Amino acid sequence: MGWLQYVAVEREFTEDDRTRVEISLLVSERLEAKVDNAVSLVTAAAEILKSEEGEPAEKLSLILEELCKASPDILNMHFDDPSAVSVAFSPRKNKRGESNIGVSHKDRSHWKNPYVKDGISVSGLVQAVGASDRKIVNITKPVYSNGRFVGLAVAALDLEQIATQVLKGLATDAYQIGIFGRNGEVIFSSGKSVPLHNLSIEERTHRSFTFSNAEYYGYVRPLAVTDWSVGVFSRTVDRKTVLVQLFIRNVFVWLATFLAAIVIGFLASISVVRAVEKLTRQMTAARILPDKSEKIKSPRELVQLQRTYGRMQERLLTAQTRLKELNSSLEAKVKAQVETIQRHEALLTSLFSDMNEGIVLFNQKLEMRFRNPSAVRLLNLSENEARKRFLALVKEMHQSPDKHLFIHSGVYDLELRMFESGTKDVFCVIARDATSEVKLTD
């Protein structure tokens, strides 16, 4: 039993590790989606500022209000001119009723480096002043028009609200979930089971690693869209203690499960078995839609499985029909092409075979692809020797400017001419008996 308990503990720790990674991945994806959305809105605001430069503050502020409605995570948005003075703001007034328009932001964090190289800047954790008094992160995009710096489009994200939303449904006493800024500061923590402020900056900002010490164990994962990171931690538990607890728990669980399984299992199995039987009948008949006697009403998983099977069966039948049509069409086309090629080949072979002139075809690799009987006859050589002789002649004519050659084959005086196809992938050699012409010349 000790070995089985040890295996169970190892599985539990493995599952624990996997859970940390899955939670960090889920939190990261949710957080990245919200930041991506905010970046898109700031980019849209920058384009509007570029096109609406010089418009009244009232009009620009109304535009910002509409953009803010698209994302409840944005506390405020504003346009700053090149002198760092806000020319439009949503909301237009702060909590004290003072106007947010015309306020200098020269000393604010988003003006420390307004000319970012990649066009988008995400600040670290900032204590907002003026329009809000919360912890925020500023997303900033500089605006240029014809090479001239027009100003900044800025959005402030409510980190507390974002963190609460991305951690929704993930809060648990077993794990501590933390979101860290670029310098390792804790932006948000889901609880106090693990004091995240005790972890060093290096540990909190490390990229994708498993962290452990005598007290805590966790997984830290970076975000793609910012230099933040997400960590999932829990306290380290002594393995001997886990073994004892697991053994005691298993004894009670086994006894309770044994008694409950007899009753609950019997009752639950009736519904499941009937549902499986219905699904089996539908699948055996390969029906897309179940008939009245085959329709499953519970459990929910089998209801969904039946719907999925129906959709899959419908797509399968459609694909099979389409495949048969394509195969039939392809077979007909291939057959027609083969017949056409065969007719052409037979016609050419018949035509060239009856010619007195020798016809030899070579491909671009100088391999003989065709020759008619007259070609071998005129050379007065065997089949194999004629092939070698023609190859040598082709190479010789290939180097000749006029592609023209006279030779004596022992019986005939031959005139040879070589022709190339337009793509130079086929060479044609025509051998003509010029014996009578040579005698007349002599």
Side-chain angles (χ1 to χ4, degrees):
M1 184 180 65
W3 180 80
L4 293 176
Q5 294 294 328
Y6 178 79
V7 171
V9 169
E10 289 297 326
R11 288 177 180 174
E12 186 173 321
F13 274 100
T14 300
E15 182 63 27
D16 193 42
D17 293 341
R18 183 164 52 249
T19 301
R20 287 188 185 88
V21 175
E22 290 175 351
I23 291 175
S24 66
L25 178 61
L26 183 57
V27 173
S28 298
E29 289 175 345
R30 291 180 179 180
L31 193 57
E32 287 171 352
K34 289 186 174 294
V35 175
D36 274 335
N37 182 49
V39 168
S40 298
L41 291 176
V42 172
T43 301
E47 291 300 317
I48 292 171
L49 177 59
K50 181 178 178 180
S51 62
E52 303 288 341
E53 182 188 3
E55 292 294 327
E58 182 71 18
K59 179 179 179 180
L60 294 177
S61 296
L62 286 174
I63 294 173
L64 293 180
E65 286 178 6
E66 292 301 317
L67 291 176
C68 286
K69 290 178 182 178
S71 176
D73 306 322
I74 296 181
L75 278 173
N76 62 71
M77 293 186 72
H78 56 93
F79 293 144
D80 292 350
D81 65 16
S83 62
V85 174
S86 60
V87 295
F89 215 107
S90 175
R92 277 169 273 186
K93 293 185 178 182
N94 59 27
K95 293 182 178 181
R96 297 183 297 275
E98 301 166 343
S99 176
N100 288 321
I101 300 173
V103 177
S104 174
H105 293 163
K106 194 67 176 179
D107 296 330
R108 305 290 174 85
S109 62
H110 58 275
W111 274 96
K112 290 183 179 178
N113 183 25
Y115 313 105
V116 290
K117 184 178 180 181
D118 59 359
I120 288 288
S121 173
V122 181
S123 75
L125 191 63
V126 178
Q127 176 62 52
V129 295
S132 173
D133 56 1
R134 300 190 182 188
K135 295 283 188 178
I136 63 170
V137 163
N138 284 320
I139 296 180
T140 307
K141 182 175 179 62
V143 183
Y144 289 89
S145 177
N146 297 323
R148 179 175 57 86
F149 179 57
V150 176
L152 295 181
V154 186
L157 297 184
D158 186 342
L159 284 186
E160 184 175 353
Q161 178 171 311
I162 290 177
T164 301
Q165 290 175 355
V166 299
L167 298 181
K168 187 176 182 180
L170 300 176
T172 172
D173 293 336
Y175 302 103
Q176 178 85 8
I177 306 170
I179 301 174
F180 305 101
R182 67 179 62 178
N183 297 319
E185 70 273 19
V186 179
I187 295 176
F188 189 85
S189 176
S190 64
K192 298 181 179 179
S193 60
V194 175
L196 297 182
H197 60 276
N198 288 341
L199 303 179
S200 70
I201 291 177
E202 180 181 359
E203 290 164 348
R204 285 179 287 179
T205 58
H206 199 290
R207 293 311 186 222
S208 290
F209 82 117
T210 299
F211 162 76
S212 65
N213 60 21
E215 297 182 75
Y216 313 117
Y217 190 82
Y219 178 80
V220 178
R221 184 179 185 275
L223 270 70
V225 295
T226 69
D227 50 7
W228 301 345
S229 56
V230 173
V232 182
F233 300 87
S234 63
R235 290 187 178 275
T236 304
V237 182
D238 182 74
R239 294 201 173 198
K240 292 182 180 179
T241 303
V242 173
L243 284 173
V244 173
Q245 293 175 347
L246 186 61
F247 173 76
I248 296 173
R249 183 172 67 247
N250 285 343
V251 170
F252 284 103
V253 170
W254 183 84
L255 290 175
T257 302
F258 180 75
L259 295 176
I262 296 176
V263 178
I264 299 175
F266 176 75
L267 296 176
S269 64
I270 295 176
S271 174
V272 173
V273 169
R274 288 177 179 174
V276 171
E277 289 175 350
K278 292 178 180 180
L279 181 59
T280 302
R281 289 200 301 271
Q282 179 189 354
M283 295 175 70
T284 302
R287 277 190 284 272
I288 296 175
L289 296 175
D291 60 26
K292 187 175 180 180
S293 64
E294 296 169 349
K295 189 163 184 171
I296 300 173
K297 297 182 180 179
S298 67
R300 184 178 60 184
E301 291 80 2
L302 288 178
V303 172
Q304 184 61 37
L305 179 60
Q306 187 174 58
R307 293 173 182 169
T308 302
Y309 169 75
R311 292 193 294 267
M312 180 188 69
Q313 185 67 15
E314 182 179 14
R315 289 195 295 268
L316 179 61
L317 292 176
T318 302
Q320 288 176 342
T321 301
R322 180 59 179 158
L323 183 60
K324 288 180 181 178
E325 294 174 353
L326 290 175
N327 285 339
S328 177
S329 175
L330 182 61
E331 288 175 1
K333 291 180 180 179
V334 171
K335 184 177 180 181
Q337 290 289 344
V338 171
E339 290 176 352
T340 301
I341 292 172
Q342 289 175 343
R343 287 197 302 271
H344 291 172
E345 184 177 355
L347 178 62
L348 291 174
T349 301
S350 176
L351 177 64
F352 289 153
S353 296
D354 294 338
M355 293 178 63
N356 291 326
E357 289 80 3
I359 304 295
V360 184
L361 298 180
F362 288 86
N363 61 17
Q364 59 185 351
K365 295 181 180 179
L366 296 183
E367 298 171 340
M368 184 184 292
R369 307 305 300 170
F370 174 81
R371 61 100 188 95
N372 66 352
S374 295
V376 178
R377 176 181 59 80
L378 291 173
L379 279 183
N380 193 30
L381 296 172
S382 66
E383 179 79 23
N384 188 45
E385 291 173 340
R387 183 187 299 272
K388 295 179 180 178
R389 179 61 172 154
F390 268 117
L391 178 59
L393 291 171
V394 166
K395 292 180 178 178
E396 183 177 348
M397 284 189 289
H398 192 66
Q399 304 297 326
S400 174
D402 56 2
K403 314 296 184 189
H404 189 202
L405 196 64
F406 282 95
I407 65 169
H408 183 69
S409 67
V411 177
Y412 306 101
D413 291 306
L414 302 180
E415 178 187 13
L416 289 90
R417 291 185 179 276
M418 186 176 74
F419 303 92
E420 297 177 346
S421 66
T423 56
K424 296 186 178 182
D425 56 354
V426 175
F427 302 93
C428 176
V429 177
I430 300 178
R432 186 176 67 85
D433 181 5
T435 303
S436 59
E437 298 173 13
V438 173
K439 287 181 178 181
L440 288 174
T441 303
D442 294 342

